[in-house]
């Protein structure tokens, strides 16, 4: 529910929040998630445990007691980033990473981190605490459901690595935690924590999950320790103090012994933490197939650049044959990302050179293990970059000096943290005092504002403004120093690393990267790579109307007709540069015809198959959808397949959709609607084929008869009367839909399927195989395409196939459908059904306009929109499990989440009237959703008990009376396990 990023200061919080907003506004981050940024108390650092407690307290201020019921990912991403100064302005969590991406915003570490946590099997109300400076991945099938109140995660590692971190000791099953050791010697780990049958131990990978009683203990910790944490007077370590206190059977004395020398708490606070968390019985999970990449230092960044092989979570192409626009080449020694007009050559076999965000850079020889970031217009000629050196370009922005370039030069092994004395400082791979001496500089000359020189590399004035390449070479090559260089160094305004981080604008840095990526995207797409997966929101940033001709060639060559239609419209919306675009270029053909049918009934087969006094009677239930709606709709279902879970129901004891077909002696067609009270007589093909005219009634039976072959094209030079006489006479078709149109129960599509079945039986071609092979469902798709209403396949399945169903289709232009019957217990058990309420709101709407907007949303390739559609597909799986397990609580959650996702799909899913109704009756239900596309129609409620359901119905009656709604009403629902029935009198 919530992703909370915990940082160290209000300034960091503002920076991170702005970076998140840019991604939310760009449609990259899921709209389902609430992103929050919280910060440590201003008085000082409070540790990972104190930061967790303080963050939860801040979230409680926003959400109240509801915070305890929310599933929260809390990422600790604070700190100064001392060992990685390059990305200190934006924070390591938002440092760019060289991975494929389909957006103009550069992918960052956070984007690939979220891959794991979006697929993690969340428990309702679970809190997961994780680190912001690592990339983690592992087989999520190793995450057990029974992970207890507090659970740590571990991965196999060698003993030497384990001796520097926390290690779990498991029993032989690898499930139960026996001990948790912090920085224990190698021999101790070999003796007490070796994994059975392995020469390795279970290394703590920094993820801790709290649930149930674990969340309750954290809530108590907020009360007991929160004031001291907020005052900055205590430092609580999540791993040292809290997890050790949760060890099974540990005594207070043993606890004190374990944390001695590691804890920063005084004894009273140690006792308090022990009292709060003892008895939780620490659980652990040993994950499989893990990848753990640290991102805490320059060396880590180089290692990550080499090894990171994961697209962002918003990868719209999903690893398919669709090419991404930007694919960094990470196969060689030199890795470039977000660069243009940049040439860097590495010494063979010397190690990785990672070049990021550079423009106009030339380095003919890099010694290896180099990090080069945001350099502009520098040519190093024949001078080599020494091994291990970093060139860290900044644009300093101050009130007095806007946009002044500075390049910080340092070695990956320098001492970035404070040390005991100045003599202990390593700078540019050498002792600082030696470095100064070799360049004819004195220590006091690098002090900031004539202050005493601190034993802290971060606070030394070492980096002048406006450097040239020849100036930078001196940092690693003392032989290049001369008087001119010394004058430049001493006379220039210089900055320290600390000041550079203060004066670097993270938003500006990202804007520069974005500009580079926009130009790279344009080049790549005009070369024919990435046009399919570029989000429409980025199209206007990358192209102008001047590019239309070249882009039109890409559209013309596009093999996916659905994308071609949408992209053709996109071209017309490009911003003007010279003169307005001639809209006449569009032929207005935004519709493509898809042949959904695998067989078409030909006219010679049609024969009236009933006696003159018989009537064909077809009737169907309607459907309620609970997961997967919209995934059955083209183009999504054609490209990715669909998954839907729905239930067939009778209304007030009857299947509400009915069709009657009666023979006529006269060679004509008559239509009659019982619910509308209108009729029509058809005597010509011209009248019959006028189904696309919105002013013509009975478009549905018109289209159905055309699908069966009653068209002028199929009967050259013959009249409709002659054709009907040839098949035995005319037909009267009577329709009954005992619920309002636009009610959200799939009435139109179900009526189409029922109508087709009745007519096919009337003309002797109906066969159960029409249903079993999915042909009847596809006929309805074809019919809705003919009527231009569009739509998917779930409605007709919902009514034709009775019971509780899970329906799936594989990708393809002709959906191959499979329907699986599920356990109907949740709709047959009297106690459970008594909690359900089906309510007609009195408002109706047509799905066509909503449908077109949803189709456009999918075609736009917006990552956030695609995330919502795919989440809806996953809800179909959740619903299937709820029915299979007879889990009413899980079913309730599915109903609740389906409504939330539907509201994200389209704003008109709900409206003021619906929200007023929801507010009026909110105390009496646990979950609700409007059925179908929303906006009105029927609402399904789940209450916690039969009594609550009765109170809900009374409250609904009161709301309707108070709002003057005379059409709203409660209706009886009952599971229909028969589905479509076709009989002859």
């Amino acid at each position: 529910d919530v992703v909370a990023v915990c940082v160290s200061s209000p300034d960091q919080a503002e920076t991170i929040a702005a970076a998140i907003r840019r991604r939310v506004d760009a449609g990259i981050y899921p709209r389902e998630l609430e992103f929050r940024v919280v910060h440590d108390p201003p008085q000082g650092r409070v540790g990972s445990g104190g930061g967790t407690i303080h963050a939860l307290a801040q979230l409680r201020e926003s959400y109240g007691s509801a915070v305890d019921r929310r599933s929260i990912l809390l990422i600790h991403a604070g700190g100064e980033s001392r060992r990685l100064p390059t990305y200190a302005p934006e924070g390591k969590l938002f440092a760019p990473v060289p991975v494929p991406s389909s957006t103009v915003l550069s992918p960052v570490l956070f984007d690939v981190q979220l891959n794991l946590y979006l697929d993690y099997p969340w428990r309702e109300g679970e809190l997961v605490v994780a680190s912001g400076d690592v990339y983690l991945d592992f087989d999520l099938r190793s995450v057990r459901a029974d992970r207890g109140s507090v659970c740590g995660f571990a991965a196999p590692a060698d003993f030497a690595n384990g001796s520097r971190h926390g290690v779990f000791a498991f029993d032989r099953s690898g499930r139960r935690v026996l001990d948790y050791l912090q920085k224990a010697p190698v021999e101790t780990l070999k003796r007490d924590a070796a994994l059975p049958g392995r020469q390795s131990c279970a290394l703590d990978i920094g993820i801790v999950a709290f649930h149930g009683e674990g969340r309750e203990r954290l809530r108590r910790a907020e009360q007991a320790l929160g004031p001291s944490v907020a005052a900055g007077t205590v430092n609580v370590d999540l791993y040292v103090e809290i997890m050790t206190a949760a060890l099974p059977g540990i005594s207070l004395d043993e606890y004190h012994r374990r944390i001695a020398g590691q804890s920063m708490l005084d004894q009273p606070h140690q006792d308090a933490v022990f009292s709060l968390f003892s008895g939780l019985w620490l659980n652990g999970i040993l994950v499989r197939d893990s990848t753990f990449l640290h991102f805490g230092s320059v060396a880590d960044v180089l290692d990550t650049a080499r090894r990171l092989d994961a697209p962002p979570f918003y990868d719209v192409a999903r690893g398919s044959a669709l090419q991404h626009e930007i694919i960094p080449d990470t196969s060689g020694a030199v890795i470039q990302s977000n660069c243009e007009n940049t040439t860097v050559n590495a010494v063979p076999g010397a190690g990785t050179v990672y070049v990021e965000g550079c423009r106009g850079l030339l380095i003919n020889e890099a010694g290896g293990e180099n990090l080069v970031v945001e350099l502009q217009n520098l040519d190093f000629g024949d001078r080599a970059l020494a091994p291990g050196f970093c060139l860290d370009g900044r644009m300093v922005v101050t009130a007095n000096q806007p946009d002044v370039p500075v390049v910080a030069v340092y070695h990956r092994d320098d001492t970035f943290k404070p040390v005991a004395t100045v003599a202990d400082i390593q700078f540019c791979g050498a002792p600082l005092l030696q470095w100064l001496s070799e360049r004819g500089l004195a220590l006091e000359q690098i002090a900031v504002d004539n202050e005493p020189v601190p034993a802290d590399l971060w606070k030394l004035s070492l980096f002048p403004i406006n450097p040239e390449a020849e100036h930078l070479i001196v940092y690693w090559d003392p032989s290049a120093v001369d008087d001119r260089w010394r004058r430049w160094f001493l006379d220039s305004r210089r900055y320290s690393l600390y000041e550079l981080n203060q004066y670097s604008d993270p938003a500006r840095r990202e804007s520069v990267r974005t500009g580079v990526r926009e130009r790279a995207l344009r080049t790549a797409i005009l070369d024919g790579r990435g046009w399919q997966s570029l989000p429409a929101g980025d199209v206007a940033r990358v192209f102008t109307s001047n590019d239309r001709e070249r882009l039109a060639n890409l559209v013309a060559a596009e093999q996916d007709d659905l994308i071609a239609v949408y992209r053709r419209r996109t071209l017309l919306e490009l911003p003007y540069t010279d003169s307005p675009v001639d809209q006449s270029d569009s032929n207005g053909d935004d519709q493509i015809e898809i042949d959904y049918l695998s067989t078409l009934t030909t006219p010679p087969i049609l024969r009236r198959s009933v006696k003159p006094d018989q009537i064909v009677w077809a009737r169907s239930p309607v459907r309620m959808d609970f997961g997967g709606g919209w995934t059955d709709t083209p183009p999504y279902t054609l490209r990715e397949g669909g998954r839907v879970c729905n239930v067939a129901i009778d209304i007030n004891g009857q299947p509400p959709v009915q069709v009657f077909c009666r023979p006529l002696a006269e060679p004509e067609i008559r239509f009659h609607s019982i619910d509308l009270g209108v009729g029509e007589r058809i005597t010509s093909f011209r009248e019959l084929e006028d189904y696309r005219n919105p002013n013509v009634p009975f478009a549905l039976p018109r289209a159905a008869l055309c699908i069966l072959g009653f068209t002028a094209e199929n009967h050259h030079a013959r009249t409709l009367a002659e054709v009907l006489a040839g098949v035995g006479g005319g037909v009267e078709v009577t329709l009954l839909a005992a619920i309002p149109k636009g009610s959200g129960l799939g009435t139109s599509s179900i009526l189409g399927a029922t109508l087709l079945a009745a007519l096919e039986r009337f003309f002797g071609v109906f066969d159960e195989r029409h249903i079993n092979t999915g042909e009847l469902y596809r006929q309805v798709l074809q019919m809705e395409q003919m009527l231009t209403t569009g739509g998917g396949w779930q409605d007709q399945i919902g009514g034709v196939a009775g019971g509780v169903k899970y329906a799936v289709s594989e990708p393809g232009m002709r959906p191959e459908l499979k329907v699986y019957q599920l356990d109907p217990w949740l709709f047959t058990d009297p106690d459970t059904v008594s909690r359900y309420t089906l309510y007609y709101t009195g408002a109706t709407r047509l799905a066509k306009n909503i449908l077109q907007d949803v189709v456009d949303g999918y075609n736009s390739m917006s990552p956030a929109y695609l995330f919502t559609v795919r989440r809806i597909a996953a809800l179909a799986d959740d619903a299937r499990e709820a029915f299979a397990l007879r889990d009413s609580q899980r079913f309730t959650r599915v109903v609740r989440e389906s409504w939330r996702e539907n509201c994200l799909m389209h704003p008109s899913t709900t409206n003021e009237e619906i929200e007023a109704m929801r507010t009026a009756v909110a105390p009496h239900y646990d979950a609700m959703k409007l059925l179908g596309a929303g906006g009105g129609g029927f609402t399904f409620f789940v209450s916690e008990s039969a009594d609550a359901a009765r109170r809900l119905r009374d409250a609904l009656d009161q709301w309707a009376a108070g709002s003057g709604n005379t059409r709203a009403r409660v209706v009886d629902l009952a599971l229909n396990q028969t589905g479509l029935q076709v009989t002859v009198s």
Side-chain angles (χ1 to χ4, degrees):
D1 300 314
V2 180
V3 177
V5 180
C6 186
V7 299
S8 61
S9 69
D11 288 343
Q12 274 192 328
E14 185 177 337
T15 295
I16 296 298
I20 291 173
R21 280 196 302 273
R22 287 193 289 273
R23 285 157 175 79
V24 171
D25 292 344
I28 294 176
Y29 284 4
R31 299 167 296 171
E32 287 79 355
L33 297 175
E34 295 182 53
F35 290 91
R36 299 296 303 272
V37 184
V38 295
H39 57 79
D40 286 346
Q43 289 81 356
R45 304 293 297 276
V46 292
S48 54
T52 299
I53 291 169
H54 190 65
L56 288 174
Q58 292 178 76
L59 293 176
R60 191 175 300 280
E61 291 178 6
S62 299
Y63 300 121
S65 60
V67 72
D68 299 315
R69 299 189 296 274
R70 293 183 179 242
S71 302
I72 300 173
L73 172 64
L74 177 60
I75 297 181
H76 285 288
E80 296 178 286
S81 188
R82 275 186 171 263
R83 294 189 301 144
L84 185 59
T86 318
Y87 296 122
E90 49 271 282
K92 287 176 281 192
L93 192 63
F94 281 85
V97 288
V99 297
S101 170
S102 301
T103 64
V104 295
L105 283 174
S106 177
V108 295
L109 181 62
F110 192 32
D111 300 355
V112 291
Q113 272 193 342
L114 285 173
N115 280 331
L116 179 72
Y117 300 110
L118 287 171
D119 287 338
Y120 177 85
W122 287 89
R123 296 173 290 179
E124 189 171 18
E126 186 172 27
L127 168 71
V128 173
V129 183
S131 173
D133 63 353
V134 297
Y135 168 73
L136 268 175
D137 191 27
F138 50 80
D139 186 348
L140 285 164
R141 290 173 296 182
S142 56
V143 180
R144 305 188 310 272
D146 58 336
R147 45 192 184 272
S149 298
V150 57
C151 182
F153 287 67
D158 60 76
F159 295 115
N161 197 15
S163 67
R164 298 188 294 271
H165 303 280
V167 168
F168 292 89
F170 288 97
D171 65 3
R172 294 196 63 81
S173 71
R175 295 170 64 90
R176 183 165 174 258
V177 173
L178 302 176
D179 208 345
Y180 180 70
L181 307 171
Q182 274 287 348
K183 299 181 180 180
V186 169
E187 292 306 315
T188 301
L189 295 179
K190 288 181 178 180
R191 184 186 68 241
D192 298 333
L195 291 170
R198 307 193 211 179
Q199 289 298 307
S200 59
C201 59
L203 177 72
D204 182 1
I205 56 177
I207 299 177
V208 187
F210 294 87
H211 187 251
E213 181 63 19
R215 287 292 299 270
E216 172 59 22
R217 300 290 186 95
L218 284 171
R219 187 192 65 78
R220 295 179 199 169
E222 289 177 51
Q223 297 175 331
L225 301 174
S228 297
V229 170
T233 58
V234 296
N235 187 302
V236 185
D237 190 288
L238 173 63
Y239 309 95
V240 172
E241 285 113 5
I242 293 179
M243 290 180 67
T244 303
L247 278 171
I250 189 172
S251 67
L252 179 59
D253 288 342
E254 175 66 9
Y255 177 70
H256 285 309
R257 187 189 68 78
R258 288 288 191 94
I259 67 175
Q262 300 181 68
S263 175
M264 298 176 65
L265 295 175
D266 58 26
Q267 184 166 327
H269 281 106
Q270 290 181 7
D271 293 349
V273 172
F274 180 82
S275 175
L276 284 164
F277 294 99
S278 65
L280 279 179
W281 292 81
L282 177 65
N283 282 261
I285 289 178
L286 184 65
V287 301
R288 298 190 298 265
D289 301 329
S290 62
T291 300
F292 184 96
L293 300 176
H294 199 226
F295 207 83
S297 69
V298 171
D300 292 335
V301 170
L302 295 171
D303 185 51
T304 298
R306 278 190 295 262
R307 298 172 54 196
L308 185 58
D309 183 24
F313 71 88
Y314 49 80
D315 170 33
V316 298
R318 303 192 80 171
S320 71
L322 296 178
Q323 290 293 311
H324 295 280
E325 291 85 352
I326 295 180
I327 307 177
D329 183 3
T330 59
S331 59
V334 178
I335 298 171
Q336 282 198 28
S337 181
N338 304 327
C339 295
E340 62 181 343
N341 300 324
T342 291
T343 301
V344 177
N345 300 308
V347 175
T352 298
V353 179
Y354 179 35
V355 187
E356 192 276 318
C358 294
R359 293 180 290 167
L361 173 66
L362 174 62
I363 300 177
N364 279 313
E365 186 176 307
E369 296 303 296
N370 303 114
L371 179 61
V372 183
V373 177
E374 292 204 33
L375 297 193
Q376 298 182 30
N377 303 317
L378 289 173
D379 183 346
F380 285 85
D382 60 355
R383 304 301 294 269
L385 174 61
F389 271 80
C390 306
L391 302 179
D392 178 357
R394 306 294 183 92
M395 194 63 72
V396 172
V397 181
T398 68
N400 298 324
Q401 291 188 153
D403 294 347
V404 177
V406 179
V407 177
V409 185
Y410 42 84
H411 193 275
R412 50 174 278 179
D413 297 329
D414 287 347
T415 50
F416 296 109
K417 292 189 175 183
V419 290
T421 68
V422 172
D424 296 320
I425 296 176
Q426 288 280 124
F427 176 57
C428 285
L432 173 66
L433 297 178
Q434 175 186 326
W435 186 90
L436 292 170
S437 174
E438 290 174 342
R439 287 153 184 81
L441 300 174
L443 182 62
E444 59 272 13
Q445 290 175 314
I446 60 171
V448 175
D449 297 329
N450 298 316
E451 293 289 327
V453 178
D456 187 349
L457 177 60
W458 263 52
K459 297 184 178 179
L460 301 181
S461 178
L462 289 164
F463 311 111
I465 63 173
N466 297 316
E468 301 291 342
E470 59 185 12
H471 296 141
L472 301 177
I473 292 166
V474 178
Y475 279 85
W476 60 83
D477 183 2
S479 69
V481 70
D482 55 21
D483 289 340
R484 190 166 60 90
W485 183 88
R486 271 189 293 272
R487 284 195 302 273
W488 168 78
F489 184 89
L490 294 173
D491 295 344
S492 299
R493 168 66 167 96
R494 279 174 282 124
Y495 290 89
S496 65
L497 284 171
Y498 175 81
E499 290 174 308
L500 287 178
N501 291 332
Q502 293 293 111
Y503 297 134
S504 296
D505 181 357
R508 186 192 183 284
R509 283 160 64 96
E510 183 156 84
S511 176
V512 170
R513 293 186 188 106
T514 299
V516 172
R517 291 176 64 83
E518 287 174 358
R519 291 184 287 276
L521 282 168
R522 183 177 182 277
T523 299
I525 290 171
L526 291 178
D527 287 343
R529 177 164 56 86
W531 176 237
Q532 293 165 310
S533 55
L534 178 69
D538 287 342
V539 170
R541 301 183 64 168
V542 176
F543 300 103
T544 70
S545 57
N546 293 337
D547 298 310
R548 287 180 67 245
E549 183 176 350
R550 294 178 68 183
L551 292 174
N553 293 332
L554 295 180
V555 173
E558 176 58 61
Q559 295 181 355
D560 187 327
D561 290 338
L562 296 167
I563 289 181
V565 166
Y566 184 79
R567 292 305 195 192
R568 195 176 299 120
R569 277 208 311 274
T570 302
L571 296 187
L572 298 176
E573 297 169 1
L574 289 174
Y576 305 140
T577 53
D578 298 334
S579 59
V581 175
D582 181 5
Q583 300 286 328
S584 64
D585 285 1
S586 172
N587 58 15
D589 182 16
D590 280 350
Q591 301 293 327
I592 65 167
E593 296 294 328
I594 301 172
D595 181 9
Y596 290 112
L597 304 181
S598 53
T599 59
L600 281 173
T601 305
T602 55
I605 297 176
L606 295 177
R607 290 288 186 272
R608 195 168 76 182
S609 65
V610 296
K611 298 182 184 302
D613 61 345
Q614 286 186 308
I615 295 176
V616 175
W617 177 27
R619 58 270 191 202
S620 298
V622 284
R623 66 100 187 99
M624 298 192 297
D625 62 308
F626 293 117
W630 292 122
T631 74
D632 64 307
T633 304
Y636 181 91
T637 197
L638 305 179
R639 293 196 199 121
E640 301 195 26
R643 313 199 294 275
V644 174
C645 192
N646 65 28
V647 177
I649 60 166
D650 290 336
I651 299 293
N652 295 327
Q654 294 291 331
V657 177
Q658 303 193 21
V659 176
F660 305 88
C661 293
R662 185 175 72 88
L664 296 176
E666 301 84 357
E668 62 185 29
I669 298 171
R670 299 175 193 167
F671 298 138
H672 179 61
S673 170
I674 294 176
D675 48 297
L676 297 178
V678 295
E680 187 176 13
R681 177 172 170 264
I682 303 293
T683 59
S684 70
F685 282 123
R686 181 183 58 80
E687 294 174 295
L688 187 62
E689 295 182 59
D690 195 22
Y691 49 79
R692 286 193 176 181
N693 185 343
N695 298 316
V696 169
F698 299 104
L700 202 64
R702 279 177 155 89
L705 285 164
C706 288
I707 283 180
L708 295 183
F710 286 100
T711 65
E713 182 180 5
N714 285 332
H715 302 280
H716 296 293
R718 299 178 69 195
T719 65
L720 177 62
E722 290 171 337
V723 172
L724 289 173
V727 300
V731 59
E732 181 182 74
V733 180
T734 300
L735 311 177
L736 169 62
I739 49 176
K741 188 177 183 180
S743 62
L745 299 181
T747 312
S748 297
S749 298
I750 295 170
L751 179 59
T754 309
L755 177 61
L756 281 165
L759 288 170
E760 289 174 356
R761 176 63 184 86
F762 184 88
F763 290 110
V765 294
F766 182 75
D767 192 299
E768 287 295 329
R769 286 174 296 180
H770 278 75
I771 298 174
N772 297 337
T773 64
E775 188 68 4
L776 178 61
Y777 307 138
R778 287 189 290 272
Q779 283 180 323
V780 177
L781 282 174
Q782 191 82 24
M783 184 162 55
E784 291 182 331
Q785 179 178 252
M786 293 162 61
L787 297 171
T788 73
T789 56
W793 43 254
Q794 79 129 328
D795 291 346
Q796 50 267 41
I797 289 177
V800 171
V804 180
K805 291 92 60 182
Y806 175 74
V808 296
S809 71
E810 297 299 320
M813 293 297 283
R814 180 174 292 148
E816 296 298 326
L817 300 163
K818 295 180 181 178
V819 181
Y820 302 91
Q821 286 290 333
L822 302 179
D823 185 341
W825 186 87
L826 289 177
F827 273 82
T828 58
D829 175 64
D831 291 338
T832 304
V833 174
S834 69
R835 299 166 49 215
Y836 303 155
T837 299
L838 185 61
Y839 186 71
Y840 179 58
T841 64
T844 61
R845 54 92 202 99
L846 296 180
K848 180 177 179 180
N849 293 336
I850 296 177
L851 174 63
Q852 185 57 59
D853 290 343
V854 168
V855 169
D856 286 350
Y858 176 73
N859 277 328
S860 74
M861 291 295 172
S862 161
Y865 206 88
L866 293 180
F867 184 92
T868 296
V869 184
R870 290 163 182 166
R871 175 65 190 131
I872 286 174
L875 282 172
D877 297 335
D878 293 346
R880 178 189 61 185
E881 288 195 17
F883 284 112
L885 298 172
R886 299 186 175 184
D887 187 336
S888 59
Q889 289 186 337
R890 184 176 297 196
F891 174 66
T892 301
R893 287 198 300 272
V894 168
V895 173
R896 185 186 305 126
E897 291 189 32
S898 292
W899 169 246
R900 181 177 68 165
E901 299 297 338
N902 284 354
C903 289
L904 291 174
M905 287 293 289
H906 198 277
S908 66
T909 297
T910 188
N911 52 48
E912 290 184 5
E913 184 178 13
I914 297 302
E915 290 306 304
M917 177 193 70
R918 279 168 28 87
T919 301
V921 302
H924 309 298
Y925 70 85
D926 289 346
M928 62 75 64
K929 75 180 295 286
L930 267 66
L931 301 165
F938 280 88
T939 309
F940 179 77
F941 294 92
V942 183
S943 300
E944 66 175 358
S945 66
D947 287 340
R950 282 191 288 271
R951 292 193 298 272
L952 169 67
R953 293 161 196 153
D954 291 341
L956 287 168
D957 288 341
Q958 293 173 12
W959 168 78
S963 61
N965 187 332
T966 59
R967 293 164 57 89
R969 56 193 179 271
V970 174
V971 298
D972 291 334
L973 70 92
L975 178 68
N976 178 302
Q977 301 201 61
T978 306
L980 169 69
Q981 291 180 284
V982 182
T983 56
V984 179
S985 65

